[in-house]
Every structure is written in C-alpha cells, then in structure tokens.
Amino acid sequence: MAKITYVSFEGTATTVEVPVGATVMEGARDNGISGIAADCGGACACSTCHVYVDQQWIGKLPAKDEMETDMLDFAFEPDEQLSRLTCRLKVTAELDGLVVRLPEKQI
Ligand code: FES
C-alpha cells in the first residue's frame, strides 16, 4: 500500500491507501475521489484522468511515453511539466506520499 493524496481544485486534500500495482486513477476511482472521470477505463484514450503532480514528486515518476504525451494535448489546461494521466501512473512503494492536484475540470 502507498498513501496517495488527491487535492481537489478547491484545495481539499484527501489521502487514501492505494495498493502497489494499481494505478493512481484506480486509487481515485476505488476510493470515491471525485474529479477523475476516467471515461475510457484506463486505456489512455480519453484524458479525463488528468492531474497536476505536486512539484516535489515530478522527478520521481517514470517519464511520459508518446501515447500519454499525445493524449495530454486533449486535457483541460495541461501543464507541460506537471500534467500526467493517472491511468499511466502505477503505484509503487516509492510513491508512498505522492500528492496530485486535480484540474478545474476534465474535458
Ligand atoms: Fe482515459 Fe486515463 S482513464 S486516459
């Protein structure tokens, strides 16, 4: 398990335990975190699982692949450095404490 904190656009932080091997998107979905729609179910085909990763964690994540980079172009106000698709982020023990911020809306 790893603790993941989801911060709503309004600033409310919710911390949940997410199993190692699940994705950050699944952690939100399975814990009732609103703001991550994940319309495609995790197939990297919708961009509605977009978040801004907290600055201090960005260097600890695996790099975006081309598919994620392309799909982020369709997200609402993506940030070149901080934006990630949570269905692409597998939870590992090293990500214990990860903080992600939700955008104002998902497209
Ligand atoms: Fe659709 Fe992540 S759930 S791109």
Side-chain angles (χ1 to χ4, degrees):
M1 290 285 201
K3 283 190 172 62
I4 309 287
T5 297
Y6 302 84
V7 182
S8 73
F9 181 71
E10 292 76 22
T12 303
T14 305
T15 302
V16 297
E17 300 256 8
V18 181
V20 168
T23 65
V24 176
M25 178 277 279
E26 290 167 335
R29 184 196 62 195
D30 296 348
N31 288 284
I33 305 286
S34 60
I36 293 182
D39 289 339
C40 76
C44 199
C46 72
S47 84
T48 64
C49 64
H50 169 222
V51 297
Y52 305 107
V53 172
D54 191 81
Q55 184 94 39
Q56 68 174 346
W57 283 93
I58 204 74
K60 298 171 184 164
L61 298 174
K64 287 175 265 195
D65 62 15
E66 196 179 332
M67 197 173 167
E68 182 180 356
T69 301
D70 288 349
M71 192 50 61
L72 274 169
D73 286 342
F74 297 98
F76 178 73
E77 295 188 346
D79 179 279
E80 194 171 330
Q81 188 198 4
L82 303 180
S83 286
R84 297 298 302 258
L85 295 179
T86 51
C87 70
R88 300 292 96 188
L89 297 177
K90 281 255 192 241
V91 173
T92 63
E94 290 71 34
L95 292 187
D96 185 43
L98 175 69
V99 178
V100 299
R101 300 177 194 286
L102 301 179
E104 183 176 2
K105 63 181 179 178
Q106 303 285 358
I107 289 189

